[in-house]
């Protein structure tokens, strides 16, 4: 896996594109090579792009509240497709209603995501965590 | 000034065809034609006879410039190897078709032992080896290079994958005939097939021309031959780029074994909140369907398009058994022509199925997606709705009397509005009168404008509508 390659996109039938553009610019600025798939991205499209680019992380956004359904099974599919060590991050308005953040986080961690972020997260913090997580992968 | 004369010869797997053209006032005029069965053992024999016929009665055959294309030996056989099916493999296939090749097999991910054995027994002319963006995947790519290097394949291996590992790939392919081209997909979604296409053309010259007497022909005429479909592809591009009224058109080349579909139109124009997913396909695109054809592929056609054919047979009031018997008979005798009205109807029906399926497979799909922000349209593949003209070529479509068979490529009146193929809507239909397109295509390198102008000028406009009672 290439430590500086990331795949980014908004999952499912979700066409919120503003945040996606901000994330693209931010991670590029932070020195990553970002493959941005834009909005309405399927699980397979995320995985295809990660395979071709040898990405070390897939960053999934979801803003319309159906993130849980869209993200279910992504980890298993990654494993099936040979991406057994790839980092999976997810962030946004992940569920409908007012579920406490801790519960949302647990739900997505249980699904196999490495990090879960709410809508108000600090991107500098995300980059810091990402650097540390990629370092832990011990890529040669 | 006397018009200049040019001969154009196409050596096909079955027939060697030639035409003599006079170039006058920017248009080629047909002066003579010749067609003989291809002399398979020595292609030079048939070529010589066609050239002699074309230059009969003229001062000298020696000074006559000859342009040549060939699809003898079944054309240029390419095996395409990619990493993921929807990205690099899909683009590799696109590159192979655009280079005039016939894709004999595709492989994704790491090659298995079975697949290596399969590849060895297929004997493709070229293995188009892709995978990974530049700086992307190297593990699978290097593993495949190692497997190909150790395999017994004698095919020419063209590597057009991750640029960062190309030196290692070449080392692993030591002992094989191999070359490198720029990556067909340097970034996810970016299609770059021109460099690979150009090298495939060069490999065609080096590998395919050699043997069967073709190299003698080439030495004699002093000019490189083209793979026939590549010449036609280039001609289609020139027609679209230079001929008024032809910026958005399609062309269907239906033969006994395959149906080729060419389109020249912008793949995606957006608008009305339409989102493109998947690859942004090129302006000029060719697809080849190996299971759609009137003779050699008749049985495969019956297999692939059974539902459509059965429903059309029902509306014609013909028993399926009778049609099936005809399929068997023409598969066994590919040179056969229909002998009565029933057989003519059957050929027409098969042509309809070939055109329809080739168009649907070439075209993209528009689907309605419901989101929390309302309904959205998602396009995948190429939009052919702005295509205003369709050309039919090949032995059958160049002779048809009515537009019906060609208009099978148009959008069906589908009830399913949530997902529909992006087919031409109500184009004009034309037949390639005299089946001159492949022969004019040979001249496109030296005479792009003249060849394009002559090709569209010689078309026969067809009237009539699509078959009623669509299945």
């Amino acid at each position: 896996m290439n430590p500086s390659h990331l795949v980014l996109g908004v999952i499912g039938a979700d066409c919120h594109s503003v945040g996606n553009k901000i994330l693209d610019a931010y991670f590029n600025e932070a020195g990553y090579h970002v493959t941005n798939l834009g909005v309405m991205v399927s699980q397979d499209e995320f995985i295809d792009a990660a395979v071709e680019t040898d990405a070390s992380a897939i960053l999934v956004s979801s803003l319309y509240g159906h993130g849980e359904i869209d993200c279910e099974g992504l980890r298993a599919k990654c494993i099936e497709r040979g991406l057994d060590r790839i980092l999976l991050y997810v962030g946004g308005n992940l569920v409908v209603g007012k579920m406490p953040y801790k519960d949302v986080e647990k739900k997505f961690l249980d699904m196999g995501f490495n990090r879960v972020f709410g809508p108000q997260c600090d991107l500098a913090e995300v980059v810091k965590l990402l650097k540390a997580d990629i370092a832990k992968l011990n890529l040669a | 000034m006397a018009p200049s004369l040019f001969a154009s010869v196409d050596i096909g797997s079955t027939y060697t065809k030639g035409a003599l053209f006079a170039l006058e006032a920017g248009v080629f005029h047909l002066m003579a034609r010749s067609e003989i069965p291809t002399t398979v053992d020595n292609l030079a024999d048939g070529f010589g006879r066609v050239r002699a016929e074309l230059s009969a009665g003229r001062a000298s055959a020696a000074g006559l410039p000859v342009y040549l294309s060939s699809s003898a030996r079944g054309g240029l056989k390419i095996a395409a190897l990619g990493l993921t099916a929807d990205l690099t493999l899909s683009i590799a296939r696109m590159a192979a078709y655009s280079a005039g090749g016939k894709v004999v097999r595709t492989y994704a991910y790491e090659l298995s032992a079975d697949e290596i054995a399969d590849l060895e027994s297929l004997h493709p002319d070229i293995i188009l080896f892709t995978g990974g963006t530049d700086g992307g995947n190297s593990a699978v790519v290097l593993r495949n290079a190692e497997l190909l290097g150790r395999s017994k394949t004698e095919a020419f291996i063209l590597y057009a994958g991750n640029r960062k590992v190309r030196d290692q790939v070449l080392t692993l392919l030591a002992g094989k005939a191999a070359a490198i081209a720029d990556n067909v997909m340097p970034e996810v979604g970016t299609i770059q097939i021109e460099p690979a296409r150009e090298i495939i053309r060069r490999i065609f010259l080096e590998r395919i021309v050699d043997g069967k007497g073709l190299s003698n022909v080439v030495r004699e005429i002093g000019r490189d031959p083209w793979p026939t479909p590549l010449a036609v592809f280039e001609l289609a591009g020139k027609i679209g780029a230079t001929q008024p009224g032809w910026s958005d058109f399609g062309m269907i080349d239906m033969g006994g074994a395959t149906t080729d579909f060419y389109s020249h139109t912008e793949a995606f124009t957006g608008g009305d909140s339409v989102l493109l997913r998947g690859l942004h396909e090129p302006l000029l695109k060719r697809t080849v369907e190996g299971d759609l054809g009137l003779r050699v592929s008749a049985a495969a056609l019956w297999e692939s398009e059974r539902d459509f054919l059965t429903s059309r047979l029902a509306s014609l009031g013909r028993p399926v058994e009778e049609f099936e018997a005809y399929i068997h008979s023409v598969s066994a005798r590919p040179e056969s022509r229909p002998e009565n009205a029933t057989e003519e109807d059957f050929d027409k029906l098969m042509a309809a199925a070939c055109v329809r399926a080739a168009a649907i497979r070439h075209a993209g799909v528009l689907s309605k997606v419901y989101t929390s922000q309302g309904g959205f349209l998602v396009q995948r593949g190429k939009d052919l709705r702005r295509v205003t003209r369709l050309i039919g070529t090949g032995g059958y479509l160049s002779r048809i009397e009515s537009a019906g068979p060609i208009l099978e490529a148009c959008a069906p009146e589908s009830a399913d509005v949530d997902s529909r193929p992006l087919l031409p809507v109500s184009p004009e239909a034309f037949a390639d009168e005299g089946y001159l397109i492949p022969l004019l295509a040979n001249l496109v390198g030296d005479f792009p404008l003249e060849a394009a102008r002559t090709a569209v000028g010689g078309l026969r406009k067809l009237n009539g509508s699509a078959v009623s009672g669509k299945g």
Side-chain angles (χ1 to χ4, degrees), chain B residues 23-254:
Chain B
L23 180 60
E24 206 175 3
V27 177
F28 287 105
H29 300 274
L30 180 64
M31 309 299 286
R33 287 211 65 153
S34 167
E35 179 171 316
I36 59 157
T38 293
T39 47
V40 183
D41 294 332
N42 186 356
L43 301 175
D45 284 354
F47 169 81
R49 277 164 53 200
V50 165
R51 185 167 67 166
E53 276 187 31
L54 292 178
S55 51
R58 297 183 200 266
S60 128
L64 182 67
V66 182
Y67 289 78
L68 180 68
S69 61
S70 171
S71 56
R73 301 198 327 161
L76 183 62
K77 285 177 279 188
I78 300 179
L81 170 57
L83 185 52
T84 64
D86 288 342
L87 295 174
T88 43
L89 178 54
S90 166
I91 299 173
R93 197 187 285 121
M94 227 180 264
Y97 286 149
S98 319
K102 183 169 149 189
V103 177
V104 289
R105 198 77 96 230
T106 60
Y107 308 95
Y109 281 100
E110 188 177 311
L111 289 162
S112 66
D114 284 357
E115 286 171 333
I116 289 284
D118 181 51
L119 192 56
E120 286 167 345
S121 67
L122 269 173
H123 300 296
D125 298 305
I126 295 172
I127 298 170
L128 178 56
F129 174 14
T130 70
T133 53
D134 284 342
N137 185 290
S138 55
V140 177
V141 172
L142 290 173
R143 176 72 184 143
N144 281 340
E146 188 190 339
L147 290 166
L148 287 173
R150 284 208 312 252
S151 75
K152 292 199 258 318
T153 183
E154 284 167 3
F156 194 104
I157 303 172
L158 174 58
Y159 177 70
N162 182 357
R163 173 196 276 269
K164 287 278 151 67
V165 292
R166 56 157 72 147
D167 292 340
Q168 285 159 273
V169 167
L170 276 185
T171 308
L172 289 164
L173 293 176
K176 300 285 178 197
I180 48 173
D182 287 344
N183 195 347
V184 293
M185 191 184 80
E187 295 275 347
V188 169
T190 304
I191 300 175
Q192 176 183 264
I193 57 181
E194 278 309 309
R197 234 165 67 78
E198 183 46 40
I199 295 178
I200 292 172
R201 177 167 141 73
R202 229 182 54 212
I203 301 169
F204 170 82
L205 294 175
E206 286 168 11
R207 304 261 301 185
I208 320 303
V209 168
D210 211 32
K212 301 271 183 193
L214 205 53
S215 43
N216 293 336
V217 173
V218 171
R219 206 171 307 125
E220 213 183 307
I221 65 173
R223 194 171 280 117
D224 287 339
W226 297 59
T228 310
L230 176 61
V232 175
F233 185 85
E234 297 292 333
L235 177 63
K238 284 291 178 281
I239 290 174
T242 66
Q243 296 306 298
W246 288 89
S247 56
D248 297 280
F249 81 101
M251 181 158 70
I252 308 144
D253 181 356
M254 185 179 67

Side-chain angles (χ1 to χ4, degrees), chain A residues 13 15-16 33 37 39 52 81, chain B residues 84 88 109 132-133 277 373:
Chain A
C15 32
H16 288 93
H33 179 101
L37 302 175
V39 300
E52 298 276 6
R81 300 275 305 274
Chain B
T84 64
T88 43
Y109 281 100
T133 53
R277 292 302 326 168
Q373 298 106 301

Side-chain angles (χ1 to χ4, degrees), chain A residues 2 5 13-16 33-35 37-42 44-45 47-54 64 66 81-82, chain B residues 83-84 86-88 109 131-138 185 187-188 275 277-278 369-373 376 378 380:
Chain A
N2 190 318
H5 284 192
D14 189 345
C15 32
H16 288 93
H33 179 101
V34 181
T35 296
L37 302 175
V39 300
M40 297 181 85
V41 181
S42 70
D44 279 319
E45 286 171 320
I47 295 169
D48 282 348
V51 169
E52 298 276 6
T53 59
D54 211 18
Y64 70 155
H66 303 290
R81 300 275 305 274
Chain B
L83 185 52
T84 64
D86 288 342
L87 295 174
T88 43
Y109 281 100
T133 53
D134 284 342
N137 185 290
S138 55
M185 191 184 80
E187 295 275 347
V188 169
L275 188 76
R277 292 302 326 168
V369 177
Y370 299 93
T371 76
S372 51
Q373 298 106 301
F376 256 83
V378 174
R380 281 175 192 280

Side-chain angles (χ1 to χ4, degrees), chain A residues 1 5-7 46-47 49-51 53-59 74-75 77-79 82-89 112-114 137:
Chain A
M1 287 191 286
H5 284 192
L6 308 177
V7 172
F46 275 113
I47 295 169
V51 169
T53 59
D54 211 18
S56 43
I58 295 175
L59 313 185
L74 180 62
R75 172 59 75 187
K77 220 172 211 171
C78 283
I79 295 169
L83 299 175
D84 29 7
R85 296 176 66 212
I86 196 160
L87 296 169
L88 296 180
Y89 278 29
F113 284 86
N114 301 81
L137 291 172

